[in-house]
Amino acid sequence: MNRSRASWDKKAPQSTGARITRSSQARQADPTESPESGPGPYGKQRKKQTDSALAQDLSQMSVSGWDGLPTSVSRGGLSSVARLVKLGRCKNVVVVAGAGISTASGIPDFTPGTGLYANLEKYNIPYPEAIFNIDYFSDNPQPFFSLAKALYPGSHRPNYIHYFIRMLHHKGLLLRMYTQNIDGLEKCGIPDDKLVEAHGSFATASCPLCYTTYPAEEAKRAIMNDKIPVCSFCAATVKPDVVFFGEDLPQEYFLHSKDFPKADLLIIMGTSLQQIEPFASLVNTVRSTVPRLLLNRHAVGPFEKVPLRRGDHMELGDLEVTVRRFAEMLGWNIEIEEL
């Protein structure tokens, strides 16, 4: 985010020149529309590909349930994905993650009724999402700064799920991780070049009006002391480089145009997918033969459609428990525990 709008628009690899901003209005993408037939998302006609080996191993979608959710008969589901990894079939794994991966660290997600948005009454805001709305922030930054004091990295520790993703990198399998989170817990050994913080982070700060950079530690010190950091250039209120609704996404987000077509396994975990665009639609841009594994509390996005795409697999329930079981299938549990 530490850039001028002109340089940002120039660098963004988009043929239309349109800005890509964070939006709470999810576009209802049709998962049955394959990105391999017809015009591709980047304006090119792409030849439909098949992978008989992957299709054979994952010829049936499986759903494992919990809390009374039905479980369908399948050829292995989660174990089939683990088998593909162990056989060396998945060498470019992309992980898409949301707030659910951090709940085991004590950070609330956005679950209706109990999550972050359900506990904002004390900030006296007109509606919950206003706390991350750039226009509302410009008029009244104090509610966000009050919340930021609790969200700033340092008071929470990474959990087993974060270290599982680190193990993917350690094994040379992680192509990239795309996270919606701003808590910074992914930085537990995952290199910066393997991580795309699609909604920004607290690591840097800048002016949202003129994009002048501001020392991140000074911004944190001011916020922690209930003071408002002010831009030295235009006198607007400075904030951490967390992407608000209506703001441009960071340049690293556009790596998806190369990563998702290259992926041979997509792991989706701890995210609702439906709330925040354009992030939510990324899962529909992998090749149709690529297995997609949803580890979540509920079915979301394209995984709510019936019938599901061949090769799609859901494992519903407590995310940390599920990831531990997946790690055991892969034979990684002891290594992760040592981390």
Side-chain angles (χ1 to χ4, degrees), residues 48-281:
K48 186 174 181 62
Q49 302 176 14
T50 60
D51 188 328
S52 58
L54 288 178
Q56 183 176 357
D57 280 329
L58 291 167
S59 61
Q60 294 184 359
M61 179 285 300
S62 79
V63 180
S64 295
W66 81 309
D67 287 349
L69 291 173
T71 302
S72 69
V73 178
S74 73
R75 294 181 56 187
L78 189 59
S79 61
S80 289
V81 177
R83 176 170 168 262
L84 289 177
V85 174
K86 290 194 288 186
L87 288 173
R89 300 277 184 85
C90 304
K91 298 180 179 180
N92 291 295
V93 181
V94 171
V95 175
V96 170
I101 73 169
S102 295
T103 56
S105 297
I107 300 175
D109 59 10
F110 296 90
T111 301
T114 60
L116 178 65
Y117 285 157
N119 297 286
L120 298 179
E121 294 87 353
K122 58 186 175 182
Y123 299 121
N124 194 29
I125 53 179
Y127 56 94
E129 293 82 0
I131 206 159
F132 292 117
N133 182 285
I134 190 60
D135 293 326
Y136 183 82
F137 173 85
S138 299
D139 293 334
N140 183 14
Q142 197 56 57
F144 170 74
F145 286 153
S146 297
L147 177 64
K149 292 174 69 173
L151 294 180
Y152 255 106
S155 57
H156 300 89
R157 294 177 60 85
N159 60 59
Y160 189 95
I161 301 166
H162 298 100
Y163 284 103
F164 173 84
I165 301 167
R166 173 178 169 179
M167 185 57 64
L168 282 172
H169 164 66
H170 179 71
K171 298 291 184 179
L173 304 178
L174 183 66
L175 176 59
R176 205 94 59 193
M177 178 185 186
Y178 288 75
T179 180
Q180 295 174 289
N181 298 336
I182 58 175
D183 53 45
L185 294 182
E186 294 89 357
K187 296 177 188 262
C188 60
I190 302 173
D192 289 344
D193 65 344
K194 293 288 184 178
L195 180 63
V196 173
E197 295 173 304
H199 294 158
S201 75
F202 287 94
T204 57
S206 63
C207 173
L209 185 62
C210 71
Y211 301 106
T212 299
T213 58
Y214 192 92
E217 284 303 315
E218 287 187 24
K220 179 179 180 179
R221 187 160 45 250
I223 293 170
M224 290 298 182
N225 289 296
D226 297 319
K227 297 179 180 179
I228 295 179
V230 175
C231 176
S232 59
F233 183 77
C234 71
T237 301
V238 166
K239 72 173 183 63
D241 286 334
V242 174
V243 180
F244 280 25
F245 296 121
E247 286 194 301
D248 297 342
L249 295 183
Q251 185 177 1
E252 290 77 12
Y253 171 81
F254 296 98
L255 288 170
H256 74 81
S257 64
K258 296 180 180 179
D259 290 343
F260 280 72
K262 190 187 299 183
D264 49 28
L265 172 63
L266 178 63
I267 301 177
I268 307 157
M269 53 173 63
T271 175
S272 67
L273 285 184
Q274 298 176 325
Q275 302 302 318
I276 308 300
E277 288 290 359
F279 189 93
S281 295

